[in-house]
Amino acid sequence: MIGAGVAGLSTAICLAEAGLRVVIQAAEPPGQTTSAVAGAIWGPHLVEDSDRVTEWCAATLGTLTGLAGQPGTGVHLASGLMAIRSAGAAAGLPTELATLGDGIQPCAPASLPAGFAAGWRYTAPVVSMPVYLDYLLGWFRRSGGELRIGRVASLAEAAASTAAPVLVNCAGAAAHDLVPDPAVIPYRGQVVVAENPGLTEFFIGQPDWEHELVYVFPHDGRVVLGGTEVAGDWTAEPDPGTAGRILRDCAAVDPRLATARIIEHRVGFRPARSQIRLEAQDMVAADGSGRRLLVHNYGHGGAGVTLSWGCARAAASLVAQLG
């Protein structure tokens, strides 16, 4: 298996718990992947609008809700709101919220931060990704899995390095070069992690033609502030000007953030694709004989956490075809 982000770890757990021997090969450990940079709150974003995505989102919502509040998972249920700036766009519920079903309440405009015209309150799983990734890695290892760190240049190289009958590709944005798949477009995300000055509710301010995305995701002891979503930008270093803009936007939402101590700046690349690639294909064995299976599970955009368990179980069912 290639990839140790949230998609890779979730898929690896499903396979290991099905009794298979699973080895993850990854360029970096989970804590250094794009998944570690995520806010992260459950909700589809930068991903295809389809029935299968709705199904995968719902499956993951159930799993994350079950994990919420359990010690060591990093998952908790939080209340907060999503807001939009244009009153003209306020007629319908944002597509990101449609999957939640009941429990969404419109906000009075007077209760919103300055500059926002409409908003909706709801409750959803919020995930502290460094904690959650450690939890998933521990789960994977307890299930008999092995993590190996080392970069591979291509799927062909990965296939040649193992005699395993199945290769699973959860490479995220790296699939752009690894497969290669030019349909994978990185959406650069930069965040500021600060000490939490007492916030308990999340906030998501949707972007428009004039304003950037703004979000505030509180966790125990810290808060993740964002953000950006710049298509095609592979710049890995945090930009000081962008960080300043993020801090100003978030302080406008909650003034307590203006003086919060900064812990770190992080950058990740959302693996956007017009359609998620979740499919199996035959692959010739390294010695030229026998059937091998290649399973792809990537292209989740800004919804890696949101889709993780639904897509992992779907990928595991494709692997089961070989048996």
Side-chain angles (χ1 to χ4, degrees):
M1 167 171 281
I2 300 173
V6 69
L9 286 172
S10 302
T11 304
I13 288 168
C14 289
L15 294 172
E17 294 211 322
L20 300 177
R21 180 175 181 267
V22 184
V23 177
I24 295 176
Q25 182 80 26
E28 59 266 314
Q32 295 177 25
T33 63
T34 283
S35 294
V37 181
I41 188 170
W42 182 94
H45 182 62
L46 286 176
V47 70
E48 68 180 80
D49 182 9
S50 65
D51 290 342
R52 66 175 190 162
V53 164
T54 299
E55 180 181 339
W56 293 333
C57 286
T60 306
L61 177 61
T63 300
L64 291 178
T65 300
L67 292 173
Q70 294 187 26
T73 65
V75 184
H76 70 284
L77 294 178
S79 296
L81 65 93
M82 178 183 290
I84 56 176
R85 296 179 184 273
S86 172
L93 191 69
T95 56
E96 289 89 338
L97 301 183
T99 311
L100 277 171
D102 297 333
I104 304 171
Q105 300 295 327
C107 301
S111 68
L112 299 172
F116 290 92
W120 295 265
R121 295 193 64 84
Y122 62 101
T123 298
V126 176
V127 184
S128 177
M129 289 307 295
V131 177
Y132 185 56
L133 291 170
D134 281 346
Y135 170 78
L136 292 180
L137 181 58
W139 185 354
F140 171 61
R141 284 175 167 159
R142 288 191 301 274
S143 300
E146 178 185 352
L147 172 63
R148 298 175 184 172
I149 302 301
R151 189 177 299 276
V152 292
S154 66
L155 287 181
E157 178 185 311
S161 69
T162 178
V166 180
L167 181 65
V168 182
N169 171 26
C170 297
H176 181 277
D177 295 323
L178 186 75
V179 175
D181 185 351
V184 177
I185 305 298
Y187 273 69
R188 182 181 184 273
Q190 179 170 330
V191 301
V192 178
V193 182
E195 284 188 349
N196 190 341
L199 283 68
T200 59
E201 295 197 338
F202 66 81
F203 177 84
I204 303 170
Q206 295 283 27
D208 59 20
W209 66 274
E210 188 177 358
H211 300 91
E212 299 274 5
L213 174 70
V214 54
Y215 55 78
V216 177
F217 296 137
H219 302 285
D220 186 17
R222 67 189 188 103
V223 58
V224 179
L225 310 175
T228 66
E229 44 184 31
V230 185
D233 187 346
W234 289 101
T235 306
E237 291 298 315
D239 175 67
T242 299
R245 191 271 301 165
I246 289 171
L247 289 168
R248 288 191 298 273
D249 285 352
C250 292
V253 172
D254 192 313
R256 289 175 290 179
L257 294 169
T259 56
R261 186 180 75 84
I262 305 304
I263 298 173
E264 62 178 333
H265 301 267
R266 306 201 72 174
V267 172
F269 305 101
R270 304 175 183 91
R273 197 173 186 271
S274 59
Q275 288 188 312
I276 295 167
R277 190 173 188 190
L278 209 167
E279 62 184 16
Q281 64 184 85
D282 288 330
M283 180 174 61
V284 177
D287 61 1
S289 64
R291 178 194 175 201
R292 305 174 82 192
L293 195 68
L294 172 61
V295 174
H296 296 287
N297 180 16
Y298 66 87
H300 306 109
V305 174
T306 301
L307 292 161
S308 55
W309 287 107
C311 287
R313 290 167 189 145
S317 71
L318 293 177
V319 173
Q321 294 177 7
L322 194 69

